[in-house]
Amino acid sequence: MKSAVETLNPTRVRLTVEVPFEELKPSLDAAYKKINQQVSVPGFRKGKIPARVIDQRFGRGAVLEEAVNDALPKFYTEAVNEGELNPLGQPEVDITELKDGELLTFTAEVDIRPALEIPDYSGIEVTVDAVEVTDEDVEKSVEQLRERFATTSPVERAAAEGDIVTLDLEAKVDGEVLEDGVAKGVDYTIGSGQLLDGIDEAVTGLEAGGTATFTSELKGGSAEGKEAEVKVDVTAVKSRELPALDDEFAQLASEFDTLEELKADSRERLARMKKFDQATQAQEKVLEELLKLVEVPMPEKLLEDEINTRKHNLEHHQLGQMGLTLAKYLEIQGKTAEEFDAELKEQAEKGIRTQFVLDEIVNKEKLSVGQDELTEHLMRRAQSSGMSPDQFAQAVVEQGQVPMLVGEVARGKALATVVEAATVKDSNGEVVDLEDGEDEAEATEATEATETAEAAEAKNEG
């Protein structure tokens, strides 16, 4: 077998492969054997039909077609290895010559990973938010905890802001009650803004048994967007009481004995969260600067598949679970289809560029992934997917996605290497030590930016 590589552009090549006919003999023998098992000829036992009889009865062309289809993947793979190529997706194969008994010639066009030059990235400098926990932050955190321990009790008075009212609702459009416009026993906190516009004003001041009517634009259902006349009946009014902020509350809501200990713990927890956020922000900004340094030619077919994959996942998974169409989603977002497509393309390009650049750094820095690192990453992915680690691991193995997970971990390590080499300062001008926050944040940015691109690439290769 002889092969030659022609570079069509930085991300696409054409292979020309010549195969002497004698190298097709194993595939020819396999073709005759396969046809033997599939056909019957009077006078011959199944599986014992001579090759010349098969040629006469079914045509030599059918045998050659079967043999070539069997042989092409093997010779294509050999040509790829001989040319030291990194193909992306399936090739477009064209048989240019097939001379029985002499020669098979075919071409294969395929996208390849572009060769990248990774410059010195140690000069990257970024600025991130300083980690500052204010007294107001702590008070807000404790107040949120206090809200969780609020109690309610019925009251015989007019409803006021903050009260919980139980409501029966009936919506009419053009004088007709909507089939899906009736709801009973709905609990609503006045002032929360979680129901219809105008309902707060309608029920404020009503006691249990009171009724009001107001007009509002419907936010969902069969008459979404239309003006409706809404009748609301208040069946109960309950006041909401928050526990006193004292040591007794601290003992009720936590493992601490005093309110001061609870606040100190809240301050530490908020600092850890902000440290994590700071590490994530540093990774995002360093990655942005890294991508600016590297020119990445874009494989058109891979980009097209990545865009289609992202659009499919959004339409059929994320939006589908929320009961939204793409058109409705764009209306809510205030975007045109053209703006959406442009954003999707930009995101897809960034995902592919990120994957290529970080993979190149993995090779350049000779980074490897240990079993403990892979297991830890698998546990995180399982948690985010809502599956148990055992279920997730089984699914990963069955779907052949172990290499994909290894790639995610390796890219996370590559990004961490670049972040470590960069200079990261906070908004106060202080150099930031990211070690505490990096442990959990390390792979997040690299994984999110590239996992869909990798899925599109795997789909191509499958």
Side-chain angles (χ1 to χ4, degrees):
M1 185 201 82
K2 293 192 304 182
S3 65
V5 180
E6 177 188 358
T7 300
L8 303 177
N9 61 49
T11 64
R12 194 166 180 84
V13 297
R14 179 188 292 123
L15 289 163
T16 301
V17 184
E18 293 183 359
V19 183
F21 210 79
E22 57 266 22
E23 293 187 34
L24 280 176
K25 188 175 186 311
S27 294
L28 274 171
D29 292 343
Y32 279 117
K33 185 175 181 180
K34 182 177 180 180
I35 293 173
N36 241 308
Q37 300 299 322
Q38 294 174 338
V39 302
S40 298
V41 175
F44 296 95
R45 283 184 297 156
K46 196 161 190 175
K48 300 296 183 180
I49 308 169
R52 60 179 176 77
V53 175
I54 290 176
D55 288 347
Q56 291 169 356
R57 282 296 191 99
F58 305 102
R60 174 73 167 174
V63 180
L64 288 175
E65 183 180 354
E66 182 67 39
V68 169
N69 287 340
D70 176 73
L72 277 178
K74 170 179 174 289
F75 291 119
Y76 166 72
T77 301
E78 287 182 11
V80 165
N81 293 336
E82 192 175 284
E84 297 182 343
L85 303 174
N86 291 309
L88 299 169
Q90 296 292 345
E92 295 178 7
V93 177
D94 182 26
I95 297 172
T96 55
E97 190 175 15
L98 177 58
K99 290 183 179 178
D100 195 356
E102 294 183 33
L103 186 71
L104 164 68
T105 304
F106 68 90
T107 62
E109 287 192 19
V110 67
D111 284 339
I112 59 168
R113 279 179 177 262
L116 302 181
E117 286 292 328
I118 304 295
D120 179 17
Y121 44 74
S122 61
I124 292 176
E125 293 188 16
V126 298
T127 301
V128 296
D129 295 334
V131 173
E132 296 174 345
V133 180
T134 65
D135 291 344
E136 185 180 347
D137 292 332
V138 175
E139 295 300 330
K140 184 177 178 181
S141 175
V142 173
E143 192 63 29
Q144 288 172 344
L145 182 62
R146 189 182 177 207
E147 292 275 351
R148 289 167 51 190
F149 285 85
T151 58
T152 60
S153 56
V155 292
E156 295 183 3
R157 59 165 172 76
E161 183 169 351
D163 285 343
I164 298 173
V165 286
T166 305
L167 310 173
D168 292 341
L169 299 163
E170 180 184 87
K172 291 181 180 180
V173 172
D174 297 330
E176 296 290 329
V177 177
L178 299 171
E179 285 187 17
D180 56 354
V182 177
K184 293 186 179 297
V186 177
D187 281 340
Y188 173 67
T189 301
I190 300 177
S192 66
Q194 293 177 343
L195 270 178
L196 299 168
D197 292 339
I199 197 165
D200 288 336
E201 294 81 0
V203 299
T204 298
L206 295 181
E207 297 184 18
T211 299
T213 303
F214 64 100
T215 301
S216 183
E217 182 180 310
L218 297 179
K219 296 180 179 180
S222 61
E224 181 180 1
K226 292 185 177 180
E227 286 287 321
E229 182 184 89
V230 183
K231 178 190 173 191
V232 55
D233 295 323
V234 178
T235 61
V237 179
K238 290 172 280 190
S239 67
R240 199 157 171 275
E241 298 175 8
L242 297 173
L245 277 178
D246 53 21
D247 292 346
E248 188 176 336
F249 167 70
Q251 294 162 20
L252 170 69
S254 71
E255 71 271 30
F256 301 106
D257 292 326
T258 68
L259 183 60
E260 287 309 309
E261 289 174 328
L262 173 60
K263 287 184 176 181
D265 179 72
S266 294
R267 187 178 294 275
E268 289 177 12
R269 181 170 48 81
L270 289 169
R272 287 195 301 270
M273 290 171 58
K274 292 199 174 191
K275 190 72 176 173
F276 172 81
D277 291 342
Q278 187 186 60
T280 302
Q281 188 183 26
Q283 288 177 350
E284 291 172 353
K285 290 195 170 188
V286 168
L287 178 59
E288 291 287 348
E289 294 303 313
L290 174 65
L291 293 180
K292 291 177 185 177
L293 296 178
V294 187
E295 185 176 344
V296 183
M298 188 61 53
E300 292 182 10
K301 183 67 168 64
L302 183 64
L303 176 60
E304 179 186 340
D305 288 340
E306 165 70 346
I307 291 171
N308 291 337
T309 298
R310 286 176 180 253
K311 194 169 187 176
H312 176 85
N313 287 342
L314 177 66
E315 280 193 87
H316 299 282
H317 296 295
Q318 295 161 264
L319 297 182
Q321 290 175 356
M322 295 187 287
L324 291 175
T325 63
L326 180 59
K328 186 62 183 175
Y329 168 75
L330 293 180
E331 182 185 329
I332 294 171
Q333 294 290 313
K335 294 176 185 174
T336 65
E338 290 75 19
E339 289 170 336
F340 170 74
D341 288 341
E343 286 183 10
L344 201 61
K345 182 180 179 182
E346 183 181 346
Q347 293 163 2
E349 285 182 339
K350 182 183 177 182
I352 294 171
R353 291 174 63 225
T354 297
Q355 181 176 331
F356 286 170
V357 170
L358 293 182
D359 282 347
E360 192 64 34
I361 292 174
V362 169
N363 295 330
K364 180 181 178 180
E365 303 292 348
K366 296 181 173 55
L367 301 175
S368 59
V369 176
Q371 184 60 49
D372 289 347
E373 293 171 315
L374 183 59
T375 300
E376 184 181 346
H377 184 65
L378 187 147
M379 299 279 280
R380 282 200 297 263
R381 288 291 303 273
Q383 186 176 17
S384 65
S385 71
M387 300 170 69
S388 73
D390 288 344
Q391 288 174 323
F392 187 78
Q394 183 178 349
V396 165
V397 172
E398 288 177 353
Q399 296 169 20
Q401 291 183 334
V402 173
M404 185 174 78
L405 284 189
V406 172
E408 289 176 1
V409 178
R411 282 189 285 276
K413 293 181 72 172
L415 180 55
T417 299
V418 181
V419 173
E420 187 177 348
T423 299
V424 181
K425 293 183 178 180
D426 67 19
S427 51
N428 295 327
E430 301 291 330
V431 175
V432 176
D433 177 8
L434 294 168
E435 189 173 344
D436 293 340
E438 269 186 333
D439 291 341
E440 291 187 28
E442 180 177 298
T444 304
E445 175 70 11
T447 299
E448 288 181 353
T450 66
E451 61 186 7
T452 312
E454 194 167 56
E457 182 181 333
K459 181 181 175 184
N460 278 342
E461 292 174 348

